[in-house]
Amino acid sequence: MVAAEALAGLAGVALFAVPGAGLAEILPAVRALRPGRHLAYAWLLGVAWTAGMLYALSHLLAVPLRPPAILAVAGAPVAAGVVSWLRRRHLRSLAAPVHALRLWEWAVVAVCAVISLAVLCEALTQPVLDWDGWMTWAAQARYVRHEGTVDASVLTRKGWYITHPWYPLLLPVAQVAVLETTRADWDDPAFRPLYAAFFPVWLLVVYGGARELAGRAAAGWTTLAAALLPCPAFELSGGAISAYSDLPLACFYGGGLALLLAPRLRPSAGLAAGILLAAAALAKAEGAALAPAAFVFAGLYSFSRWRRCRRHWRPLALAALPLVLALVLLFSWRAGIPERFESYEKIVSWSLLWPGLLTRAPRIAARAGVEMKSFTEWGIFWWTVPLVLAAGWRGLRRRATLPLLLAAAAPLGIAWISYTISLTPEFIIRTSWNRFLVQASVPLLLLLSLALASLLRGAAGLSPARARLARSRLRGRSTPA
């Protein structure tokens, strides 16, 4: 990219960051988060709100996806945030206290910043090189931008050769918003920094969730391990340098779940989580299953507290509202898209589902294991994770463990089913297994942080009684989220 194109790409990032800051301002639970986590959730809320509202307005009200509508949708939360800030500027801030970072924490921040900067530089200097990013997501964005609607004729009329016409359009709509507001050419990759921004956001979501559950030390080391993984950052098929939707889905899915697992769940946190889960449902085909699953897992986590406090149903009700609306939008949009001669029916067979779920499992596991052993994509991560989880098993005796385990298993369960019914499972595993792991990464890393916290307490020589006291103090210091 030349300098002007690079500036256009950075302006595209600001297009979502600014309305996200407004939303974070008017949601007290998000506003009270620590700075890093606050920035991450503000960004995610900005993407979810701007692209999600444009998606709905285009399909339901035929609003053209042009700069006036885009700027109006992005400007609404900005105005609301400014009003909220002006109203409380003389009041005592409710933000969480900022603690000074230790030397090793500064080292973790430096590593994460350098890798995030490398991802951003790749996005600013290279065109789209990945297959799905160019042939699916960017192609859909071109169709939508050309006609100014998510109901583009190439999607809603028979006779056009379209791969995956039912894929949801949240990220293509976000691309259109960037390209339209910056007046970029149809083949301009100015939207690439949008995808690159999800990498530091992913790290901050992991760190924030791990700190709530496991403390500062475990959160820091878990985030460092995540930052050093080659696949989420630099894998061309699903990493942050690509235009795939897997890392954004991981952020929406894991971020929404992490908010719902907060020790003190507030209504505004429930609403923010619902917005993120709604974005997950609209980000990728798997999201329509993963987002409701995350809501159910969080509901199981909260069930034991309902008897002590009946107000716990309110945050979950607020979380359910945007999620249900997003699913209604998705199914309504898909209803207008006809069958195509290019479909999954040519490469899958549901007759293989049973007993294939059992008989094909060893074959699937063996091939998936080969992918996980790739040093260039995962390093030694999958060799060490089982050891850490086994050694730190005491840290997994927490109420949050079950929903996190279920949330980590959900994307892998979808993968297992899709591989079972596939006519070419080896090819599909080779091209998609790492992406399913990325989708499951946030709950997986939070489980890792729980086990790591137990190991760190043991290394520090804490007795069981002192460890329980430390956990109770940690929960007592947890800020409302």
Side-chain angles (χ1 to χ4, degrees), residues 243-471:
Y244 280 60
S245 295
D246 299 279
L247 189 60
L249 174 59
C251 292
F252 292 128
Y253 174 59
L257 178 69
L259 279 179
L260 292 176
L261 295 183
R264 299 187 184 97
L265 184 59
R266 298 169 62 183
S268 57
L271 180 58
I275 294 172
L276 298 188
L277 293 180
L282 297 173
K284 209 167 185 288
E286 303 94 296
L290 295 179
F295 177 80
V296 171
F297 301 152
L300 293 175
Y301 173 76
S302 299
F303 180 76
S304 63
R305 295 182 288 176
W306 285 355
R307 295 181 180 180
R308 297 197 302 267
C309 182
R310 295 183 179 179
R311 290 178 298 176
H312 280 274
W313 67 268
R314 295 176 183 171
L316 290 178
L318 287 171
L321 179 60
L323 175 57
V324 170
L325 293 176
L327 291 174
V328 170
L329 169 64
L330 177 62
F331 296 138
S332 172
W333 173 76
R334 281 180 172 171
I337 299 176
E339 290 279 354
R340 299 297 167 90
F341 40 79
E342 174 68 17
S343 69
Y344 280 117
E345 294 179 0
K346 294 183 178 181
I347 59 175
V348 303
S349 174
W350 284 98
S351 64
L352 299 173
L353 184 61
W354 187 259
L357 278 174
L358 300 179
T359 59
R360 281 195 164 192
R363 179 182 175 187
I364 292 172
R367 183 60 207 179
V370 171
E371 297 300 318
M372 296 168 73
K373 292 175 185 176
S374 172
F375 184 81
T376 59
E377 295 176 348
W378 294 105
I380 61 171
F381 182 74
W382 295 114
W383 294 97
T384 58
V385 165
L387 299 177
V388 174
L389 293 177
W393 64 272
R394 290 183 177 84
L396 301 179
R397 297 183 298 179
R398 297 279 299 276
R399 190 172 55 188
T401 298
L402 178 59
L404 288 174
L405 186 61
L406 293 173
L412 308 185
I414 294 175
W416 183 16
I417 293 174
S418 66
Y419 300 154
T420 299
I421 64 175
S422 173
L423 300 179
T424 57
E426 284 81 7
F427 172 76
I428 301 300
I429 294 172
R430 179 167 54 85
T431 57
S432 67
W433 177 246
N434 286 337
R435 291 187 280 144
F436 281 112
L437 291 175
V438 169
Q439 294 175 22
S441 60
V442 173
L444 275 171
L445 289 166
L446 295 185
L447 284 171
L448 182 65
S449 72
L450 291 174
L452 188 57
S454 177
L455 292 179
L456 292 174
R457 286 194 297 268
L462 290 180
S463 66
R466 292 181 64 188
R468 286 194 296 272
L469 178 61
R471 287 196 299 269

